[in-house]
Amino acid sequence: RAKQAGKAQFARYSAELQTSARHQLELESALGQALDRDQFVLHYQPIYRIDQDRPQLVGVEALLRWRQDGALVPPQEFIASLEESGEILRVGDWVLAQACRQVRAWQLAGQARLRCSVNLSSRQLQQDDFVARLTEILRDSGLPPASLILEITESQLMQDCTATLITLRELASLGVRLALDDFGTGYSSLGYLKRFPLHILKVDRSFIDGAPQDAELGAISRAIIGLGHSLGLEVVAEGVEQAAHLDFLRQEGCRLAQGYWFSRPRAASELERLFSPALSPAEPHDRPAQARP
Ligand code: C2E
Ligand code: MG
Ligand code: MG
Ligand code: MG
């Protein structure tokens, strides 16, 4: 009887496996066609300077969405599959080209200093010709390399160190900026901060979220902000959802932030509404002194 029960359990188990394997296959085949069917869209989340009274929009992070049957599927549900199948290379090129073109258009429409952040997969960085492809994408879009920020995670730095290091150095010498994303959540070795040519540290939202109430999370956030600044890096706080988060960050001297408190990621046309006050002639410091109100 035990044997029979075991058999039944095995049958159930293998049926479940088959279902999930089938789902995986269906997902991969749908994803394989998504780019050609124009089903990917980028949303943009604004990044603000918070060291003045009035937060100032200084950049946007491009975040990928998959439009499927009217619904928008978030990246956690499909990025891993794209990486598995290798399709992330084609999709990643599309993301870069699309984001660079969009931000260049916004720059020309009056947001002259707007910066564009794009998330990278380790598969993209491992391509031998990544730097050449990116150079071409930048040239086609007209976006100045210094306006582009590539976001990578700690785990990406751990893979294939020497090749990654060479690629990152080439990117940095193009003038592109590099951000370490979700800092503090991976197997961080602080040595990476010295070894890799990084410009920006993004403090993971798990620290920011608890920082105002929880003394230990507050201490960790404070330490990360201080570490970044003393290494000459810009520090961006992720996941600012409440006024208390913003107060804490200002108190700790963190100058850049993004999060739902300011805005969720939005479609390009909706993001433009956030520009409207700044669209009139130019940023205050670009204006001749006597013309200032
Ligand atoms: P990430 O790069 O750390 O992006 C920030 C994520 O936090 C985004 O989730 C954003 O919507 C979310 N977020 C922003 N502010 C808040 C907040 O105040 N509270 C909370 N709870 N969440 C907030 P999203 O868009 O779902 O993206 C998830 C991850 O998917 C990204 O994390 C990034 O690692 C990856 N990803 C997104 N787009 C791409 C892409 O084009 N290529 C690659 N390789 N990865 C991407
Ligand atoms: Mg990111
Ligand atoms: Mg992040
Ligand atoms: Mg994150």
Side-chain angles (χ1 to χ4, degrees), residues 52-284:
Q52 307 118 318
D53 277 344
R54 195 167 167 278
Q56 180 194 1
L57 200 163
V58 291
V60 293
E61 178 173 1
L63 294 158
L64 186 59
R65 305 287 181 258
W66 180 18
R67 212 190 294 121
Q68 226 201 3
D69 311 321
L72 278 186
V73 185
Q76 266 99 346
E77 292 179 33
F78 62 85
I79 293 277
S81 282
L82 287 176
E83 284 172 345
E84 195 112 328
S85 67
E87 182 72 3
I88 192 69
L89 301 182
R90 275 202 326 138
V91 177
D93 274 3
W94 178 85
V95 170
L96 279 164
Q98 181 75 12
C100 291
R101 226 180 298 140
Q102 178 63 75
V103 171
R104 183 59 185 156
W106 283 331
Q107 288 184 338
L108 294 174
Q111 303 296 315
R113 293 158 189 253
L114 195 70
R115 303 202 296 183
C116 171
S117 295
V118 176
N119 294 284
L120 282 193
S121 249
S122 44
R123 294 282 295 258
Q124 287 176 276
L125 269 182
Q126 284 160 6
Q127 299 171 98
D128 292 333
D129 60 347
F130 181 70
V131 178
R133 300 159 83 101
L134 184 68
T135 307
E136 199 173 319
I137 288 171
L138 282 167
R139 194 176 345 100
D140 289 348
S141 70
L143 189 78
S147 299
L148 181 65
I149 296 163
L150 297 176
E151 299 196 358
I152 52 178
T153 58
E154 290 157 298
S155 55
Q156 286 172 251
L157 294 185
M158 284 171 60
Q159 299 172 19
D160 198 4
C161 265
T162 3
T164 307
L165 179 58
I166 292 169
T167 305
L168 294 181
R169 282 198 181 135
E170 286 173 2
L171 290 171
S173 65
L174 270 185
V176 168
R177 290 154 162 271
L178 301 169
L180 193 50
D181 205 352
D182 305 338
F183 184 74
T185 56
Y187 293 92
S188 4
S189 148
L190 295 178
Y192 289 156
L193 296 179
K194 183 171 162 54
R195 185 145 86 244
F196 293 98
L198 301 166
H199 304 90
I200 298 161
L201 212 55
K202 297 192 78 171
V203 188
D204 191 71
R205 70 164 189 266
S206 56
F207 301 114
I208 305 304
D209 189 41
Q213 308 90 30
D214 182 310
E216 285 165 347
L217 288 174
I220 294 174
S221 305
R222 186 174 304 124
I224 296 177
I225 294 165
L227 176 67
H229 286 160
S230 49
L231 290 170
L233 304 174
E234 289 180 18
V235 179
V236 182
E238 297 190 284
V240 175
E241 292 184 356
Q242 307 164 10
H245 296 156
L246 184 57
D247 293 342
F248 171 83
L249 292 166
R250 282 180 157 155
Q251 197 180 305
E252 298 307 328
C254 182
R255 286 189 282 270
L256 296 158
Q258 70 188 98
Y260 295 169
W261 174 256
F262 300 106
S263 166
R264 288 181 178 258
R266 310 174 185 217
S269 59
E270 288 169 39
L271 191 106
E272 282 163 15
R273 283 187 224 160
L274 301 178
F275 296 155
S276 29
L279 261 181
S280 55
E283 319 229 313

Side-chain angles (χ1 to χ4, degrees), residues 5-18:
K7 252 188 198 163
Q9 201 178 351
F10 175 77
R12 199 169 344 109
Y13 180 60
S14 76
E16 269 169 27
L17 264 186
Q18 275 172 25

Side-chain angles (χ1 to χ4, degrees), residues 20-34 66 68 73 76-82 85:
S20 81
R22 185 153 15 92
H23 275 159
Q24 188 57 34
L25 278 177
E26 282 170 6
L27 179 71
E28 278 193 17
S29 105
L31 270 172
Q33 296 170 312
W66 180 18
Q68 226 201 3
V73 185
Q76 266 99 346
E77 292 179 33
F78 62 85
I79 293 277
S81 282
L82 287 176
S85 67

